[in-house]
Amino acid sequence: MRRSFVIDSCLAGFLAVQLLATLPVTLMMSGPAKAGRPALVLVPPWGADPGRIIAAAGGREIGLVVAPLARLAVLERPEDAVAGGAWAVLDATALASICGF
């Protein structure tokens, strides 16, 4: 076994552990979304179009990256997004603080 493979495997494992440790903490720190504030909208990949869910809740998407399971948005009626098919709508402030914004 090559030394570089072992080092790369250790680094990949460390990254996976960091991700698995940080994501639940972030979700626990996030409370329910507030109207007019950035929110993390978690959507099922097989459900309705996330853009339609966000638009139906009186919101608009923000951010440059489109993820398959989550979108950042500013919503006027966060509870309508959950009623429209989103798994959860969380306050994005905790996520921004962990990312350094």
Side-chain angles (χ1 to χ4, degrees):
M1 193 176 310
R2 297 177 59 177
R3 183 177 177 201
S4 63
F5 176 76
V6 172
I7 292 171
D8 289 345
S9 297
C10 289
L11 290 175
F14 178 72
L15 180 64
V17 167
Q18 289 291 60
L19 177 65
L20 292 174
T22 314
L23 185 62
V25 170
T26 303
L27 293 177
M28 285 188 313
M29 287 173 48
S30 299
K34 296 177 180 73
R37 304 270 305 151
L40 180 66
V41 182
L42 300 171
V43 295
W46 57 82
D49 178 39
R52 288 186 188 162
I53 293 172
I54 292 169
R60 61 182 171 79
E61 290 186 46
I62 57 174
L64 301 174
V65 178
V66 176
L69 295 177
R71 303 282 172 98
L72 286 173
V74 175
L75 304 171
E76 292 303 318
R77 299 177 307 276
E79 62 280 352
D80 287 355
V82 175
W87 279 335
V89 180
L90 304 171
D91 185 22
T93 308
L95 182 64
S97 67
I98 286 178
C99 293
F101 293 106

